[in-house]
PDB file of all heavy atoms in Angstrom:
ATOM      1  N   THR A   1     -17.049 105.302  43.860  1.00  0.00           N
ATOM      2  CA  THR A   1     -15.971 105.931  44.630  1.00  0.00           C
ATOM      3  C   THR A   1     -14.666 105.677  43.875  1.00  0.00           C
ATOM      4  O   THR A   1     -14.368 104.563  43.500  1.00  0.00           O
ATOM      5  CB  THR A   1     -15.858 105.287  46.047  1.00  0.00           C
ATOM      6  OG1 THR A   1     -17.083 105.541  46.757  1.00  0.00           O
ATOM      7  CG2 THR A   1     -14.678 105.871  46.811  1.00  0.00           C
ATOM      8  N   TYR A   2     -13.919 106.747  43.627  1.00  0.00           N
ATOM      9  CA  TYR A   2     -12.666 106.661  42.908  1.00  0.00           C
ATOM     10  C   TYR A   2     -11.531 106.578  43.932  1.00  0.00           C
ATOM     11  O   TYR A   2     -11.429 107.357  44.859  1.00  0.00           O
ATOM     12  CB  TYR A   2     -12.487 107.870  41.962  1.00  0.00           C
ATOM     13  CG  TYR A   2     -13.623 107.897  40.964  1.00  0.00           C
ATOM     14  CD1 TYR A   2     -14.812 108.583  41.234  1.00  0.00           C
ATOM     15  CD2 TYR A   2     -13.539 107.173  39.789  1.00  0.00           C
ATOM     16  CE1 TYR A   2     -15.876 108.568  40.338  1.00  0.00           C
ATOM     17  CE2 TYR A   2     -14.581 107.161  38.870  1.00  0.00           C
ATOM     18  CZ  TYR A   2     -15.756 107.867  39.169  1.00  0.00           C
ATOM     19  OH  TYR A   2     -16.798 107.824  38.274  1.00  0.00           O
ATOM     20  N   LEU A   3     -10.651 105.614  43.730  1.00  0.00           N
ATOM     21  CA  LEU A   3      -9.692 105.209  44.755  1.00  0.00           C
ATOM     22  C   LEU A   3      -8.559 106.212  44.934  1.00  0.00           C
ATOM     23  O   LEU A   3      -8.036 106.748  43.948  1.00  0.00           O
ATOM     24  CB  LEU A   3      -9.110 103.858  44.407  1.00  0.00           C
ATOM     25  CG  LEU A   3     -10.123 102.702  44.302  1.00  0.00           C
ATOM     26  CD1 LEU A   3      -9.476 101.446  43.801  1.00  0.00           C
ATOM     27  CD2 LEU A   3     -10.808 102.460  45.653  1.00  0.00           C
ATOM     28  N   ASN A   4      -8.181 106.413  46.180  1.00  0.00           N
ATOM     29  CA  ASN A   4      -7.084 107.315  46.494  1.00  0.00           C
ATOM     30  C   ASN A   4      -5.924 106.607  47.170  1.00  0.00           C
ATOM     31  O   ASN A   4      -5.091 107.239  47.771  1.00  0.00           O
ATOM     32  CB  ASN A   4      -7.570 108.491  47.384  1.00  0.00           C
ATOM     33  CG  ASN A   4      -8.002 107.981  48.750  1.00  0.00           C
ATOM     34  OD1 ASN A   4      -8.083 106.792  49.022  1.00  0.00           O
ATOM     35  ND2 ASN A   4      -8.290 108.922  49.659  1.00  0.00           N
ATOM     36  N   GLY A   5      -5.884 105.305  47.082  1.00  0.00           N
ATOM     37  CA  GLY A   5      -4.815 104.542  47.756  1.00  0.00           C
ATOM     38  C   GLY A   5      -4.249 103.492  46.845  1.00  0.00           C
ATOM     39  O   GLY A   5      -4.387 103.543  45.621  1.00  0.00           O
ATOM     40  N   SER A   6      -3.619 102.502  47.467  1.00  0.00           N
ATOM     41  CA  SER A   6      -2.930 101.429  46.715  1.00  0.00           C
ATOM     42  C   SER A   6      -3.649 100.107  46.921  1.00  0.00           C
ATOM     43  O   SER A   6      -3.099  99.132  47.420  1.00  0.00           O
ATOM     44  CB  SER A   6      -1.477 101.325  47.156  1.00  0.00           C
ATOM     45  OG  SER A   6      -1.390 101.208  48.580  1.00  0.00           O
ATOM     46  N   PHE A   7      -4.933 100.106  46.561  1.00  0.00           N
ATOM     47  CA  PHE A   7      -5.780  98.904  46.735  1.00  0.00           C
ATOM     48  C   PHE A   7      -5.461  97.888  45.630  1.00  0.00           C
ATOM     49  O   PHE A   7      -4.777  98.184  44.649  1.00  0.00           O
ATOM     50  CB  PHE A   7      -7.234  99.314  46.681  1.00  0.00           C
ATOM     51  CG  PHE A   7      -7.630 100.328  47.693  1.00  0.00           C
ATOM     52  CD1 PHE A   7      -7.633 101.677  47.392  1.00  0.00           C
ATOM     53  CD2 PHE A   7      -7.991  99.940  48.989  1.00  0.00           C
ATOM     54  CE1 PHE A   7      -7.977 102.636  48.310  1.00  0.00           C
ATOM     55  CE2 PHE A   7      -8.335 100.889  49.931  1.00  0.00           C
ATOM     56  CZ  PHE A   7      -8.345 102.234  49.616  1.00  0.00           C
ATOM     57  N   CYS A   8      -5.987  96.672  45.817  1.00  0.00           N
ATOM     58  CA  CYS A   8      -5.810  95.652  44.772  1.00  0.00           C
ATOM     59  C   CYS A   8      -6.360  96.128  43.446  1.00  0.00           C
ATOM     60  O   CYS A   8      -5.743  95.872  42.396  1.00  0.00           O
ATOM     61  CB  CYS A   8      -6.439  94.334  45.202  1.00  0.00           C
ATOM     62  SG  CYS A   8      -8.205  94.422  45.576  1.00  0.00           S
ATOM     63  N   CYS A   9      -7.499  96.823  43.468  1.00  0.00           N
ATOM     64  CA  CYS A   9      -8.108  97.279  42.220  1.00  0.00           C
ATOM     65  C   CYS A   9      -7.377  98.491  41.651  1.00  0.00           C
ATOM     66  O   CYS A   9      -7.581  98.830  40.470  1.00  0.00           O
ATOM     67  CB  CYS A   9      -9.592  97.606  42.436  1.00  0.00           C
ATOM     68  SG  CYS A   9     -10.585  96.119  42.739  1.00  0.00           S
ATOM     69  N   THR A  10      -6.532  99.121  42.432  1.00  0.00           N
ATOM     70  CA  THR A  10      -5.643 100.157  41.881  1.00  0.00           C
ATOM     71  C   THR A  10      -4.562  99.466  41.036  1.00  0.00           C
ATOM     72  O   THR A  10      -4.229  99.904  39.934  1.00  0.00           O
ATOM     73  CB  THR A  10      -4.960 100.984  42.990  1.00  0.00           C
ATOM     74  OG1 THR A  10      -5.960 101.442  43.920  1.00  0.00           O
ATOM     75  CG2 THR A  10      -4.230 102.177  42.400  1.00  0.00           C
ATOM     76  N   GLY A  11      -4.045  98.372  41.583  1.00  0.00           N
ATOM     77  CA  GLY A  11      -3.028  97.611  40.857  1.00  0.00           C
ATOM     78  C   GLY A  11      -3.537  97.028  39.560  1.00  0.00           C
ATOM     79  O   GLY A  11      -2.930  97.205  38.502  1.00  0.00           O
ATOM     80  N   SER A  12      -4.666  96.316  39.644  1.00  0.00           N
ATOM     81  CA  SER A  12      -5.209  95.753  38.377  1.00  0.00           C
ATOM     82  C   SER A  12      -5.709  96.885  37.489  1.00  0.00           C
ATOM     83  O   SER A  12      -5.685  96.757  36.264  1.00  0.00           O
ATOM     84  CB  SER A  12      -6.344  94.777  38.708  1.00  0.00           C
ATOM     85  OG  SER A  12      -7.401  95.385  39.416  1.00  0.00           O
ATOM     86  N   GLY A  13      -6.101  98.007  38.082  1.00  0.00           N
ATOM     87  CA  GLY A  13      -6.596  99.146  37.297  1.00  0.00           C
ATOM     88  C   GLY A  13      -5.553  99.747  36.413  1.00  0.00           C
ATOM     89  O   GLY A  13      -5.814 100.123  35.273  1.00  0.00           O
ATOM     90  N   ILE A  14      -4.315  99.900  36.925  1.00  0.00           N
ATOM     91  CA  ILE A  14      -3.281 100.472  36.075  1.00  0.00           C
ATOM     92  C   ILE A  14      -2.854  99.458  34.991  1.00  0.00           C
ATOM     93  O   ILE A  14      -2.330  99.850  33.937  1.00  0.00           O
ATOM     94  CB  ILE A  14      -2.057 100.972  36.856  1.00  0.00           C
ATOM     95  CG1 ILE A  14      -1.381  99.846  37.633  1.00  0.00           C
ATOM     96  CG2 ILE A  14      -2.465 102.135  37.775  1.00  0.00           C
ATOM     97  CD1 ILE A  14      -0.081 100.249  38.312  1.00  0.00           C
ATOM     98  N   GLU A  15      -3.065  98.204  35.241  1.00  0.00           N
ATOM     99  CA  GLU A  15      -2.817  97.190  34.191  1.00  0.00           C
ATOM    100  C   GLU A  15      -3.903  97.221  33.123  1.00  0.00           C
ATOM    101  O   GLU A  15      -3.608  96.999  31.940  1.00  0.00           O
ATOM    102  CB  GLU A  15      -2.750  95.805  34.788  1.00  0.00           C
ATOM    103  CG  GLU A  15      -1.512  95.449  35.580  1.00  0.00           C
ATOM    104  CD  GLU A  15      -1.451  93.981  35.886  1.00  0.00           C
ATOM    105  OE1 GLU A  15      -1.624  93.160  34.983  1.00  0.00           O
ATOM    106  OE2 GLU A  15      -1.195  93.624  37.075  1.00  0.00           O
ATOM    107  N   ASN A  16      -5.138  97.466  33.514  1.00  0.00           N
ATOM    108  CA  ASN A  16      -6.265  97.303  32.585  1.00  0.00           C
ATOM    109  C   ASN A  16      -6.123  98.169  31.347  1.00  0.00           C
ATOM    110  O   ASN A  16      -6.361  97.723  30.221  1.00  0.00           O
ATOM    111  CB  ASN A  16      -7.570  97.611  33.295  1.00  0.00           C
ATOM    112  CG  ASN A  16      -8.052  96.488  34.177  1.00  0.00           C
ATOM    113  OD1 ASN A  16      -7.664  95.329  33.971  1.00  0.00           O
ATOM    114  ND2 ASN A  16      -8.854  96.795  35.178  1.00  0.00           N
ATOM    115  N   THR A  17      -5.746  99.433  31.516  1.00  0.00           N
ATOM    116  CA  THR A  17      -5.673 100.315  30.371  1.00  0.00           C
ATOM    117  C   THR A  17      -4.584  99.885  29.402  1.00  0.00           C
ATOM    118  O   THR A  17      -4.700 100.049  28.191  1.00  0.00           O
ATOM    119  CB  THR A  17      -5.445 101.777  30.802  1.00  0.00           C
ATOM    120  OG1 THR A  17      -4.336 101.824  31.697  1.00  0.00           O
ATOM    121  CG2 THR A  17      -6.672 102.344  31.459  1.00  0.00           C
ATOM    122  N   ALA A  18      -3.502  99.307  29.938  1.00  0.00           N
ATOM    123  CA  ALA A  18      -2.428  98.829  29.073  1.00  0.00           C
ATOM    124  C   ALA A  18      -2.798  97.506  28.399  1.00  0.00           C
ATOM    125  O   ALA A  18      -2.136  97.104  27.452  1.00  0.00           O
ATOM    126  CB  ALA A  18      -1.148  98.657  29.898  1.00  0.00           C
ATOM    127  N   ARG A  19      -3.835  96.850  28.895  1.00  0.00           N
ATOM    128  CA  ARG A  19      -4.278  95.574  28.310  1.00  0.00           C
ATOM    129  C   ARG A  19      -5.400  95.734  27.312  1.00  0.00           C
ATOM    130  O   ARG A  19      -5.884  94.750  26.752  1.00  0.00           O
ATOM    131  CB  ARG A  19      -4.753  94.641  29.447  1.00  0.00           C
ATOM    132  CG  ARG A  19      -3.651  94.117  30.343  1.00  0.00           C
ATOM    133  CD  ARG A  19      -4.247  93.268  31.462  1.00  0.00           C
ATOM    134  NE  ARG A  19      -3.229  92.713  32.355  1.00  0.00           N
ATOM    135  CZ  ARG A  19      -2.621  91.528  32.160  1.00  0.00           C
ATOM    136  NH1 ARG A  19      -2.966  90.766  31.144  1.00  0.00           N
ATOM    137  NH2 ARG A  19      -1.710  91.106  32.996  1.00  0.00           N
ATOM    138  N   TYR A  20      -5.849  96.955  27.064  1.00  0.00           N
ATOM    139  CA  TYR A  20      -6.949  97.140  26.099  1.00  0.00           C
ATOM    140  C   TYR A  20      -6.613  96.564  24.743  1.00  0.00           C
ATOM    141  O   TYR A  20      -7.491  96.150  23.999  1.00  0.00           O
ATOM    142  CB  TYR A  20      -7.247  98.621  25.925  1.00  0.00           C
ATOM    143  CG  TYR A  20      -7.932  99.321  27.069  1.00  0.00           C
ATOM    144  CD1 TYR A  20      -7.905 100.714  27.179  1.00  0.00           C
ATOM    145  CD2 TYR A  20      -8.631  98.611  28.060  1.00  0.00           C
ATOM    146  CE1 TYR A  20      -8.547 101.379  28.211  1.00  0.00           C
ATOM    147  CE2 TYR A  20      -9.258  99.276  29.081  1.00  0.00           C
ATOM    148  CZ  TYR A  20      -9.218 100.650  29.174  1.00  0.00           C
ATOM    149  OH  TYR A  20      -9.870 101.318  30.184  1.00  0.00           O
ATOM    150  N   ASN A  21      -5.330  96.531  24.362  1.00  0.00           N
ATOM    151  CA  ASN A  21      -4.924  95.990  23.065  1.00  0.00           C
ATOM    152  C   ASN A  21      -5.161  94.498  22.971  1.00  0.00           C
ATOM    153  O   ASN A  21      -5.241  93.946  21.893  1.00  0.00           O
ATOM    154  CB  ASN A  21      -3.439  96.286  22.826  1.00  0.00           C
ATOM    155  CG  ASN A  21      -3.074  97.718  22.970  1.00  0.00           C
ATOM    156  OD1 ASN A  21      -3.365  98.370  23.974  1.00  0.00           O
ATOM    157  ND2 ASN A  21      -2.428  98.291  21.981  1.00  0.00           N
ATOM    158  N   GLU A  22      -5.204  93.824  24.117  1.00  0.00           N
ATOM    159  CA  GLU A  22      -5.341  92.372  24.152  1.00  0.00           C
ATOM    160  C   GLU A  22      -6.794  91.980  23.921  1.00  0.00           C
ATOM    161  O   GLU A  22      -7.727  92.718  24.263  1.00  0.00           O
ATOM    162  CB  GLU A  22      -4.863  91.833  25.494  1.00  0.00           C
ATOM    163  CG  GLU A  22      -3.399  92.184  25.793  1.00  0.00           C
ATOM    164  CD  GLU A  22      -3.001  91.824  27.217  1.00  0.00           C
ATOM    165  OE1 GLU A  22      -3.679  91.006  27.853  1.00  0.00           O
ATOM    166  OE2 GLU A  22      -1.981  92.362  27.673  1.00  0.00           O
ATOM    167  N   GLY A  23      -6.990  90.818  23.429  1.00  0.00           N
ATOM    168  CA  GLY A  23      -8.353  90.294  23.265  1.00  0.00           C
ATOM    169  C   GLY A  23      -9.033  90.729  21.974  1.00  0.00           C
ATOM    170  O   GLY A  23     -10.111  90.222  21.660  1.00  0.00           O
ATOM    171  N   ILE A  24      -8.441  91.648  21.230  1.00  0.00           N
ATOM    172  CA  ILE A  24      -9.076  92.080  19.982  1.00  0.00           C
ATOM    173  C   ILE A  24      -8.880  91.040  18.894  1.00  0.00           C
ATOM    174  O   ILE A  24      -9.826  90.676  18.181  1.00  0.00           O
ATOM    175  CB  ILE A  24      -8.504  93.460  19.520  1.00  0.00           C
ATOM    176  CG1 ILE A  24      -8.693  94.519  20.602  1.00  0.00           C
ATOM    177  CG2 ILE A  24      -9.187  93.910  18.234  1.00  0.00           C
ATOM    178  CD1 ILE A  24      -8.038  95.861  20.262  1.00  0.00           C
ATOM    179  N   TYR A  25      -7.635  90.540  18.790  1.00  0.00           N
ATOM    180  CA  TYR A  25      -7.291  89.601  17.715  1.00  0.00           C
ATOM    181  C   TYR A  25      -6.613  88.352  18.303  1.00  0.00           C
ATOM    182  O   TYR A  25      -5.821  88.438  19.226  1.00  0.00           O
ATOM    183  CB  TYR A  25      -6.304  90.254  16.719  1.00  0.00           C
ATOM    184  CG  TYR A  25      -6.762  91.577  16.168  1.00  0.00           C
ATOM    185  CD1 TYR A  25      -6.256  92.772  16.700  1.00  0.00           C
ATOM    186  CD2 TYR A  25      -7.643  91.649  15.092  1.00  0.00           C
ATOM    187  CE1 TYR A  25      -6.627  93.997  16.163  1.00  0.00           C
ATOM    188  CE2 TYR A  25      -8.030  92.881  14.558  1.00  0.00           C
ATOM    189  CZ  TYR A  25      -7.527  94.045  15.128  1.00  0.00           C
ATOM    190  OH  TYR A  25      -7.900  95.267  14.618  1.00  0.00           O
ATOM    191  N   PHE A  26      -6.915  87.200  17.698  1.00  0.00           N
ATOM    192  CA  PHE A  26      -6.235  85.947  17.981  1.00  0.00           C
ATOM    193  C   PHE A  26      -5.821  85.334  16.651  1.00  0.00           C
ATOM    194  O   PHE A  26      -6.395  85.646  15.599  1.00  0.00           O
ATOM    195  CB  PHE A  26      -7.122  84.982  18.760  1.00  0.00           C
ATOM    196  CG  PHE A  26      -7.328  85.333  20.219  1.00  0.00           C
ATOM    197  CD1 PHE A  26      -8.197  86.362  20.575  1.00  0.00           C
ATOM    198  CD2 PHE A  26      -6.669  84.647  21.218  1.00  0.00           C
ATOM    199  CE1 PHE A  26      -8.393  86.687  21.912  1.00  0.00           C
ATOM    200  CE2 PHE A  26      -6.856  84.996  22.550  1.00  0.00           C
ATOM    201  CZ  PHE A  26      -7.702  85.979  22.906  1.00  0.00           C
ATOM    202  N   HIS A  27      -4.849  84.427  16.679  1.00  0.00           N
ATOM    203  CA  HIS A  27      -4.368  83.847  15.445  1.00  0.00           C
ATOM    204  C   HIS A  27      -3.881  82.401  15.631  1.00  0.00           C
ATOM    205  O   HIS A  27      -3.496  82.004  16.736  1.00  0.00           O
ATOM    206  CB  HIS A  27      -3.235  84.696  14.872  1.00  0.00           C
ATOM    207  CG  HIS A  27      -1.952  84.632  15.678  1.00  0.00           C
ATOM    208  ND1 HIS A  27      -0.879  83.881  15.336  1.00  0.00           N
ATOM    209  CD2 HIS A  27      -1.643  85.227  16.853  1.00  0.00           C
ATOM    210  CE1 HIS A  27       0.070  84.012  16.241  1.00  0.00           C
ATOM    211  NE2 HIS A  27      -0.376  84.845  17.162  1.00  0.00           N
ATOM    212  N   LYS A  28      -3.907  81.674  14.534  1.00  0.00           N
ATOM    213  CA  LYS A  28      -3.225  80.387  14.444  1.00  0.00           C
ATOM    214  C   LYS A  28      -2.967  80.109  12.969  1.00  0.00           C
ATOM    215  O   LYS A  28      -3.868  80.197  12.146  1.00  0.00           O
ATOM    216  CB  LYS A  28      -4.041  79.236  15.045  1.00  0.00           C
ATOM    217  CG  LYS A  28      -3.282  77.909  14.973  1.00  0.00           C
ATOM    218  CD  LYS A  28      -4.082  76.753  15.516  1.00  0.00           C
ATOM    219  CE  LYS A  28      -3.265  75.454  15.393  1.00  0.00           C
ATOM    220  NZ  LYS A  28      -4.023  74.281  15.846  1.00  0.00           N
ATOM    221  N   ASP A  29      -1.730  79.766  12.663  1.00  0.00           N
ATOM    222  CA  ASP A  29      -1.338  79.502  11.288  1.00  0.00           C
ATOM    223  C   ASP A  29      -1.767  80.668  10.389  1.00  0.00           C
ATOM    224  O   ASP A  29      -1.364  81.790  10.633  1.00  0.00           O
ATOM    225  CB  ASP A  29      -1.920  78.173  10.802  1.00  0.00           C
ATOM    226  CG  ASP A  29      -1.451  76.992  11.659  1.00  0.00           C
ATOM    227  OD1 ASP A  29      -0.322  77.063  12.163  1.00  0.00           O
ATOM    228  OD2 ASP A  29      -2.217  76.012  11.832  1.00  0.00           O
ATOM    229  N   ASP A  30      -2.655  80.396   9.395  1.00  0.00           N
ATOM    230  CA  ASP A  30      -3.090  81.488   8.523  1.00  0.00           C
ATOM    231  C   ASP A  30      -4.508  81.918   8.798  1.00  0.00           C
ATOM    232  O   ASP A  30      -5.204  82.470   7.917  1.00  0.00           O
ATOM    233  CB  ASP A  30      -2.946  81.063   7.051  1.00  0.00           C
ATOM    234  CG  ASP A  30      -3.784  79.838   6.703  1.00  0.00           C
ATOM    235  OD1 ASP A  30      -4.447  79.294   7.621  1.00  0.00           O
ATOM    236  OD2 ASP A  30      -3.779  79.424   5.538  1.00  0.00           O
ATOM    237  N   ALA A  31      -4.960  81.722  10.024  1.00  0.00           N
ATOM    238  CA  ALA A  31      -6.316  82.124  10.428  1.00  0.00           C
ATOM    239  C   ALA A  31      -6.236  83.215  11.475  1.00  0.00           C
ATOM    240  O   ALA A  31      -5.432  83.173  12.395  1.00  0.00           O
ATOM    241  CB  ALA A  31      -7.097  80.943  10.979  1.00  0.00           C
ATOM    242  N   LEU A  32      -7.078  84.236  11.302  1.00  0.00           N
ATOM    243  CA  LEU A  32      -7.162  85.357  12.221  1.00  0.00           C
ATOM    244  C   LEU A  32      -8.595  85.484  12.751  1.00  0.00           C
ATOM    245  O   LEU A  32      -9.536  85.443  11.954  1.00  0.00           O
ATOM    246  CB  LEU A  32      -6.769  86.660  11.526  1.00  0.00           C
ATOM    247  CG  LEU A  32      -6.903  87.964  12.319  1.00  0.00           C
ATOM    248  CD1 LEU A  32      -5.815  88.024  13.367  1.00  0.00           C
ATOM    249  CD2 LEU A  32      -6.808  89.177  11.381  1.00  0.00           C
ATOM    250  N   TRP A  33      -8.735  85.594  14.056  1.00  0.00           N
ATOM    251  CA  TRP A  33     -10.052  85.848  14.667  1.00  0.00           C
ATOM    252  C   TRP A  33     -10.113  87.306  15.103  1.00  0.00           C
ATOM    253  O   TRP A  33      -9.230  87.781  15.810  1.00  0.00           O
ATOM    254  CB  TRP A  33     -10.259  84.938  15.881  1.00  0.00           C
ATOM    255  CG  TRP A  33     -10.526  83.522  15.568  1.00  0.00           C
ATOM    256  CD1 TRP A  33     -11.753  82.918  15.396  1.00  0.00           C
ATOM    257  CD2 TRP A  33      -9.571  82.472  15.377  1.00  0.00           C
ATOM    258  NE1 TRP A  33     -11.608  81.563  15.138  1.00  0.00           N
ATOM    259  CE2 TRP A  33     -10.266  81.288  15.099  1.00  0.00           C
ATOM    260  CE3 TRP A  33      -8.156  82.440  15.380  1.00  0.00           C
ATOM    261  CZ2 TRP A  33      -9.629  80.077  14.836  1.00  0.00           C
ATOM    262  CZ3 TRP A  33      -7.517  81.242  15.156  1.00  0.00           C
ATOM    263  CH2 TRP A  33      -8.242  80.078  14.869  1.00  0.00           C
TER     264      TRP A  33
END
């Protein structure tokens, strides 16, 4: 079911697409994961 209101998962849902960039790369000093 695709949401038509302002549910909690609507709120986290609009965040999710903007967060796709996160979690791909991590770093410390001269090391990249």
Side-chain angles (χ1 to χ4, degrees):
T1 298
Y2 299 90
L3 299 173
N4 65 352
S6 52
F7 303 93
C8 57
C9 291
T10 311
S12 60
I14 61 173
E15 286 191 48
N16 282 336
T17 51
R19 290 178 179 270
Y20 287 161
N21 306 52
E22 302 171 18
I24 303 175
Y25 307 99
F26 286 76
H27 68 103
K28 182 183 180 182
D29 300 329
D30 60 358
L32 176 72
W33 286 266

